[in-house]
Amino acid sequence: GYPEFRPGQERAVAAVLARRDTLVILPTGGGKSLCFQVPALMLPGLTVVVSPLISLMKDQVDALTARDLPATFINSSLSGAEVSSRLARAERGEVKLLYVAPERFDAGTTAERLRAIGVSLLAVDEAHCISEWGHDFRPSYLRIRSVRERLGTPPTIALTATATGDVRTDIIRQLQLDRPETIVTGFDRKNLSYSVVRTRTEADKDAALIAALESHPGLAVIYASTRKAVERIAQVLERARIPAVGYHAGLDDDHRREVQDAFMRDGVRAIVATNAFGMGIDKPNVRLVVHHAMPGTLEAYYQEAGRAGRDGLPSECVLLHAFSDRFTHEFFIKSANPDRAVVERVYNEVLRAADANGLARVGPADIASATRGQIKEREVESALRILVQSGSLANELASATQLFVRLLATPLRIKSELGDGGEAERELLRGIWRVGGARSYDGITIDPNALAPGLGGAAGIAALLESLQQRQFVVWERTGGGLRVTNTTRPVSELRVNWEQVERRRAGDMGKLESMQKYAYTSACRRGFLLRYFGDPAASSSCTGCDICLGTHKKEAPAARAATPRVRKRGERGRAAHSTRLPDDIDASAAQPALVAALRELRTSLARAAKVPAYCIFPDRTLVEMAVQRPVSLDALGDVRGVGPAKLERYGEKILAVIRDSDDTEAA
């Protein structure tokens, strides 16, 4: 239904149809998906698309099936029966495009089943994830090279929107692409305007965010760094009478689907999300993208900002920046690239926990606990990754064919409690008894495939055992699984870790963070800065679409007190957003200093109890207004701006007690 190919698409399609490995770098909105979807419909067998996100798969498959094109996906949102059904459809030739999460290949025989079907093309979407220099490093992506071999080494197309020269080289190396056709179009999105608003505090950012939303109509996406920040910012916007919803990985599947569908239907004005949202989603009419916190790399920023204006119409990309934003990223970089002493300590802890065969059934939390908090769990995870990559440790999956079972119930109890409807469970228990007899009460290892037929194989037996365990007839677990020390005699001083590589990665990550911060502080053309970073020869020293060249950049955002929205009163509906300055009829000088001090003392104690900063309880402005108005009832306290229903219920009586004590003191 498209009148013509966009730049780079026709060349990519031709390369794939010529059975060549292909690397495609197109900007966000450049039409990467078409580069493998068109060949998939023309090639004889199945196209397997490795895709990192459930939301991405759902959106693309929905779009394809709406056009009556044979596509489906398998991921963790589906039951085992649904996965089997979809693979069966692929085996019958009813599917041409199968979207698969990379972790699907980490266990089981999915790759082998697909190879038997016949894979004509492997597409690796968001391929920057595969690169150790990329901005979304993901271990399962590193294993795609072996997955490709298990699929029969089909021609492969790797696609991404953001890849510097180093990342492109690394993608080719990691996937072992054979002399790939490399297609890189220009990175410039001329319809996008870029600006940076410098701030000092979170309140300043909130104020600048609301100002941006008020001055730029249309659908908006706001990116926040954490789930907690997503929820807080969504509440701030709702209080400012801006319809908003939050989206992050902590939502249950139904809620996440509702939020995504509302966004796709233009059912909300703004969506506040963590950085995964929007990856690969074809939503053309986003007019504004705001980053509430600075991303750690320009790759991440450019990709997320590029979700604005995919329809080619003018759109705005705003970065709210405080210098302290970098500290969070520095923490993550340090955690992801731990010092040698940390790696060696983690190795020793695994070695200490290992059995005679070198197997240690411990996880990151166990190891962190063993260090008595000296090493954080995130650092342990990174150290384990380094040790596994070096071959010092191996990750062993729990066996699917060997189960350890211990019988708990007596024959009398089995007979009396497993009555009608328990024939399958009784047959399983008879099989266990035939293998181990009385030893079953001490625990035996069984091969589920060697037990009685008709119990559904290994999967069916596991389900029966789980049911029996819940009713305390047996306890069971899969054998094996855990961290294996590959050489238990190897001392920590002889670990085969490439420490120089670890240091290079840390330095590389810090360099990317430094480039991101330089973008925020540059006094030159921002568009040119971005294009030069990605090696685009179209970079110039000026443009007509950034705050520097347009002369609209302000060195610092206005103070939050001039822009933060009024907190809605209980039961209030439909009233316009308000300034946070005290009402004109309230004189701040009328507040008794002693009462303000007492309210601040209460706020400090409440903040300590809740383990949050004091401003999260009440801002200073709210305390001053309380001291001026001196409310004597909960209803009156609810009229003070900054006191919402939740805070009124949680803190109201304590605040009124402080005010009453102050009144009694003055009367005395």
Side-chain angles (χ1 to χ4, degrees):
Y2 298 114
E4 60 188 0
F5 284 115
R6 293 179 181 176
Q9 287 181 328
E10 186 172 2
R11 185 178 157 202
V13 170
V16 172
L17 291 176
R19 315 294 286 171
R20 292 195 60 184
D21 288 341
T22 309
L23 176 62
V24 176
I25 317 293
L26 297 182
T28 301
K32 293 182 293 297
S33 301
L34 208 71
C35 297
F36 61 80
Q37 289 173 349
V38 169
L41 300 175
M42 301 175 69
L43 292 169
L46 182 69
T47 290
V48 174
V49 185
V50 177
S51 182
L53 293 173
I54 292 174
S55 58
L56 185 156
M57 294 183 195
K58 180 181 183 299
D59 182 71
Q60 292 200 8
V61 169
D62 285 351
L64 289 166
T65 53
R67 295 178 171 88
D68 292 327
L69 299 176
T72 190
F73 62 80
I74 53 176
N75 58 36
S76 60
S77 70
L78 304 176
S79 67
E82 289 173 316
V83 170
S84 296
S85 173
R86 296 185 183 200
L87 286 174
R89 286 180 56 206
E91 288 170 338
R92 294 193 299 269
E94 298 173 7
V95 174
K96 294 292 290 181
L97 283 131
L98 179 66
Y99 287 74
V100 184
E103 289 79 9
R104 173 61 54 176
F105 298 107
D106 288 349
T109 59
T110 301
E112 287 68 30
R113 288 188 67 180
L114 295 177
R115 180 173 183 169
I117 294 170
V119 178
S120 295
L121 175 65
L122 173 65
V124 182
D125 206 3
E126 308 296 346
H128 58 270
C129 297
I130 204 169
S131 172
E132 67 176 336
W133 300 106
H135 65 276
D136 195 11
F137 184 78
R138 187 160 169 170
S140 57
Y141 263 74
L142 289 180
R143 294 187 280 274
I144 294 177
R145 178 171 63 190
S146 64
V147 170
R148 185 186 181 210
E149 294 169 357
R150 290 162 61 196
L151 291 172
T153 317
T156 299
I157 179 172
L159 310 99
T160 184
T162 51
T164 60
D166 286 339
V167 173
R168 294 172 214 162
T169 301
D170 203 33
I171 291 171
I172 293 170
R173 179 180 64 83
Q174 293 280 6
L175 285 174
Q176 290 189 333
L177 301 182
D178 181 20
R179 292 170 295 172
E181 177 83 3
T182 301
I183 300 162
V184 183
T185 63
F187 285 88
D188 195 8
R189 297 276 307 282
K190 296 185 184 298
N191 63 311
L192 301 186
S193 296
Y194 302 94
S195 61
V196 175
V197 179
R198 295 185 197 168
T199 60
R200 292 178 181 271
T201 66
E202 292 296 292
D204 290 344
K205 286 185 177 183
D206 294 345
L209 170 61
I210 291 166
L213 287 164
E214 290 175 344
S215 60
H216 298 98
L219 192 65
V221 175
I222 298 100
Y223 284 106
S225 55
T226 65
R227 298 178 186 182
K228 186 175 180 180
V230 165
E231 293 169 354
R232 187 192 68 79
I233 295 165
Q235 290 175 356
V236 167
L237 296 183
E238 281 292 322
R239 290 198 297 266
R241 309 295 296 163
I242 298 172
V245 290
Y247 182 102
H248 55 70
L251 302 178
D252 60 64
D253 290 342
D254 289 341
H255 191 181
R256 191 161 57 240
R257 194 178 302 113
E258 288 174 7
V259 170
Q260 184 178 331
D261 289 346
F263 169 75
M264 298 302 290
R265 296 193 313 267
D266 292 355
V268 292
R269 166 72 204 287
I271 187 163
V272 188
T274 48
N275 60 5
F277 180 79
M279 189 183 286
I281 290 177
D282 186 17
K283 181 63 175 169
N285 63 330
V286 175
R287 296 276 76 88
L288 173 68
V289 170
V290 180
H291 280 80
H292 197 275
M294 180 183 76
T297 69
L298 277 169
E299 287 93 337
Y301 177 71
Y302 187 75
Q303 184 177 63
E304 291 157 13
R307 287 162 193 158
R310 295 181 68 157
D311 55 7
L313 297 178
S315 303
E316 301 287 332
C317 308
V318 179
L319 170 64
L320 308 180
H321 177 261
F323 183 82
S324 58
D325 288 350
R326 74 170 288 141
F327 301 146
T328 300
H329 294 293
E330 287 177 347
F331 168 78
F332 287 132
I333 290 170
K334 181 182 177 183
S335 298
N337 305 279
D339 295 334
R340 179 170 182 166
V342 171
V343 177
E344 291 177 342
R345 175 78 181 276
V346 168
Y347 178 78
N348 279 330
E349 294 296 341
V350 175
L351 191 60
R352 188 175 294 115
D355 61 21
N357 297 316
L359 186 66
R361 295 187 181 182
V362 291
D366 304 314
I367 298 169
S369 177
T371 69
R372 298 181 180 179
Q374 295 174 8
I375 302 176
K376 305 300 182 187
E377 188 173 339
R378 186 184 294 273
E379 290 179 289
V380 173
E381 291 172 351
S382 300
L384 291 175
R385 171 178 52 80
I386 291 169
L387 290 166
V388 169
Q389 288 177 349
S390 72
S392 303
L393 299 178
N395 255 324
E396 290 201 352
L397 297 172
S399 173
T401 58
Q402 295 293 313
L403 309 178
F404 178 81
V405 180
R406 184 160 64 90
L407 187 60
L408 300 178
T410 64
L412 182 61
R413 182 182 166 216
I414 293 171
K415 184 176 181 180
S416 64
E417 295 187 23
L418 280 180
D420 295 340
E423 183 56 39
E425 287 93 339
R426 287 199 302 274
E427 185 59 35
L428 173 57
L429 292 172
R430 290 190 195 104
I432 293 171
W433 187 264
R434 282 194 294 269
V435 172
R439 290 186 299 108
S440 302
Y441 287 103
D442 297 322
I444 60 170
T445 299
I446 63 171
D447 179 354
N449 295 314
L451 295 179
L455 296 178
I461 288 173
L464 290 172
L465 286 171
E466 190 62 31
S467 174
L468 288 167
Q469 180 168 273
Q470 290 174 359
R471 290 176 286 169
Q472 297 184 337
F473 281 85
V474 301
V475 291
W476 76 285
E477 63 180 3
R478 299 185 188 278
T479 60
L483 292 164
R484 183 176 295 281
V485 182
T486 55
N487 183 349
T488 56
T489 63
R490 180 187 296 139
V492 70
S493 59
E494 296 180 12
L495 287 177
R496 298 174 182 175
V497 174
N498 188 335
W499 300 111
E500 290 184 0
Q501 185 182 59
V502 174
E503 182 55 40
R504 279 199 306 273
R505 173 162 177 149
R506 183 190 292 116
D509 289 348
M510 288 300 298
K512 286 178 175 291
L513 177 59
E514 195 64 35
S515 295
M516 184 69 242
Q517 190 136 40
K518 285 180 179 177
Y519 169 81
Y521 283 98
T522 186
S523 58
C525 173
R526 296 195 198 279
R527 186 183 303 276
F529 190 104
L530 288 168
L531 297 182
R532 280 190 295 275
Y533 180 82
F534 289 109
D536 192 326
S540 64
S541 59
S542 64
C543 72
T544 58
C546 80
D547 57 343
I548 301 295
C549 295
L550 294 173
T552 58
H553 176 65
K554 297 181 177 63
K555 290 190 175 181
E556 191 165 310
R561 60 187 176 84
T564 303
R566 172 180 182 268
V567 178
R568 203 180 309 159
K569 299 176 185 177
R570 284 195 305 164
E572 182 180 26
R573 299 179 184 272
R575 192 175 297 180
H578 224 276
S579 165
T580 62
R581 289 174 295 184
L582 290 172
D584 293 337
D585 59 345
I586 293 181
D587 180 7
S589 63
Q592 286 290 333
L595 176 54
V596 174
L599 289 169
R600 282 181 175 150
E601 186 176 341
L602 172 64
R603 179 181 66 176
T604 299
S605 66
L606 295 173
R608 285 175 180 166
K611 297 181 180 179
V612 298
Y615 69 82
C616 290
I617 305 296
F618 292 113
D620 284 348
R621 182 200 57 75
T622 299
L623 300 184
V624 172
E625 187 169 340
M626 289 176 186
V628 171
Q629 294 191 352
R630 292 176 178 263
V632 295
S633 67
L634 289 175
D635 284 343
L637 181 59
D639 287 337
V640 175
R641 283 174 294 182
V643 183
K647 289 186 178 181
L648 185 67
E649 180 178 354
R650 194 173 303 145
Y651 309 128
E653 291 295 349
K654 294 178 181 178
I655 293 167
L656 293 177
V658 169
I659 294 172
R660 283 194 296 269
D661 287 346
S662 174
D663 289 341
D664 292 343
T665 301
E666 290 177 26

